[in-house]
């Protein structure tokens, strides 16, 4: 149930207490998440795809079709300030800077300043290639709270092949120790196919990082971007139940894992949304449908439009874009594939897709 109260895990309570000391303003916003959620409001983390520039060409890249020169308005630092001014007014408290690869951004420091570290908990995605001791110390000094390191196999050759970057495994593994030594929070995020989920390699992967007291965030494979049409890698409900059993044993989680004392199910719009380099707001990083553009209308109105769509405004206990083949076939294959991205939500969702029972009423 969406409004089921769940006790905070000791680790989460500890992080919250630390946040109260480091960033009291952010802490005050986060402790209001439960009441906001029960009012039917979004408490989303903003996955900010600020720039698609990247030093890798990954096999599974979800933003491949967004990359390349596009004749459209792009974010300036002034635009970033305005976006996060609105986000702050809405009580949103978390952002993940992504791309692309954030550590290649020439204006990264100005970007962080524009978001305002005093008002937001700032995550930074990275593939680890450019992450060294100096970078770790610098990120921490300018207000980045945590890095989210991408690593996709415990086998160096497999990871390097997956990332199309020889030596990337070695650099990523070094990045783990560098972050720990700099006292910069870190978790490892990894892409999991149906096949990998049930492998010995995946268990060894999780156990290795757990021994280092590092959590592993699992991203289920999605049939978008470079993997458009690749349905063989998708998980099913039995696979997801297996993942839930692993969560009881290991420090491993997905976006469906209860957090902030809430079981939100799918967090699209209500618990996360993406903002592209061109200002479009996507329900999640993998549903390439625009529910509005922040250069054209207020963020508040865009979020509400998303919540008015039943798949994002109701409690959904699965990953629509990784497991629900009916959703994938009806909306993604038939209405998104082979079209310029992102596709406007009016071209994908109709009146029959309107929210009937909002998540706060369940």
């Amino acid at each position: 149930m969406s409004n089921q109260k769940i006790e905070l895990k000791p680790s989460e309570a500890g992080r919250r207490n630390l946040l109260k000391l480091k960033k009291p303003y952010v802490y005050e916003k986060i402790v209001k998440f439960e009441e906001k959620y029960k009012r039917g409001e979004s408490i989303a983390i903003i996955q900010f795809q600020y720039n698609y520039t990247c030093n890798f060409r990954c096999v599974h890249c979800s933003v491949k079709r967004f990359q390349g020169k596009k004749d459209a308005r792009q974010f300036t630092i002034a635009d970033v300030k305005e976006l996060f001014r609105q986000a702050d007014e809405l009580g949103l408290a978390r952002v993940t800077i992504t791309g692309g690869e954030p550590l290649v951004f020439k204006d990264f420091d100005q970007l962080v300043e524009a978001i305002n570290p005093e008002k937001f908990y700032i995550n930074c995605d990275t593939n680890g290639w450019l992450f060294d001791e100096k970078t770790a110390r610098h990120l921490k000094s300018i207000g980045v709270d945590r890095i989210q390191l991408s690593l996709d196999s415990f086998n160096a050759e497999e990871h390097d092949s997956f990332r199309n970057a020889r030596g990337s495994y070695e650099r990523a593994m070094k990045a783990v120790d560098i972050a720990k030594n700099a006292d910069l929070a870190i978790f490892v995020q990894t892409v999991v196919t149906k096949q990998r989920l049930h492998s010995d390699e995946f268990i060894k992967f999780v156990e290795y990082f757990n021994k280092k007291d590092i959590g592993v965030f699992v991203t289920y494979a999605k049939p978008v971007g470079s993997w458009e049409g690749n349905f063989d890698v998708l998980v099913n409900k039995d696979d997801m139940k297996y993942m839930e059993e692993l969560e009881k044993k290991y420090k491993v989680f997905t976006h469906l894992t209860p957090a902030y004392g809430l079981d939100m199910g799918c967090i699209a719009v209500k618990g996360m949304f993406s903002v592209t380099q061109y200002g479009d707001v996507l329900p999640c990083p993998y549903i390439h449908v625009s529910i509005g553009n922040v250069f054209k209308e207020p963020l508040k109105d865009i979020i509400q439009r998303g919540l008015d769509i039943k798949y994002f405004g109701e409690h959904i206990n699965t990953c629509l874009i990784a497991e629900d083949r009916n959703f994938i076939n009806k909306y993604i294959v038939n209405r998104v594939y082979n079209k310029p991205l992102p596709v406007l939500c009016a071209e994908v969702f109709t009146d029959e897709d309107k929210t009937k029972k909002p998540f706060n009423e369940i």
Side-chain angles (χ1 to χ4, degrees), residues 144-246:
V144 172
D145 295 286
R146 180 172 64 190
I147 65 164
Q148 302 179 173
L149 178 72
S150 295
L151 189 63
D152 293 305
S153 178
F154 205 42
N155 178 288
E157 185 176 342
E158 288 180 0
H159 174 81
D160 288 1
S161 176
F162 194 70
R163 293 281 166 174
N164 276 314
R166 187 175 181 181
S168 58
Y169 175 86
E170 181 180 359
R171 292 202 187 196
M173 294 296 278
K174 286 182 179 178
V176 172
D177 292 329
I178 288 170
K180 296 286 282 186
N181 292 337
D183 197 26
L184 178 62
I186 177 176
F187 69 73
V188 171
Q189 49 191 12
T190 193
V191 175
V192 172
T193 62
K194 178 184 184 70
Q195 295 78 15
R196 186 181 180 220
L197 178 61
H198 298 279
S199 70
D200 292 338
E201 176 273 325
F202 178 62
I203 298 300
K204 291 177 181 178
F205 183 99
V206 172
E207 289 178 341
Y208 175 83
F209 290 108
N210 280 191
K211 287 178 181 178
K212 289 179 171 286
D213 195 29
I214 294 174
V216 175
F217 178 80
V218 167
T219 296
Y220 292 125
K222 318 291 197 307
V224 299
S226 296
W227 270 357
E228 192 170 287
N230 187 358
F231 306 117
D232 292 338
V233 297
L234 304 187
V235 295
N236 59 30
K237 282 185 168 58
D238 287 339
D239 298 322
M240 296 176 77
K241 288 179 181 177
Y242 172 71
M243 183 70 217
E244 290 175 6
E245 291 303 310
L246 293 183

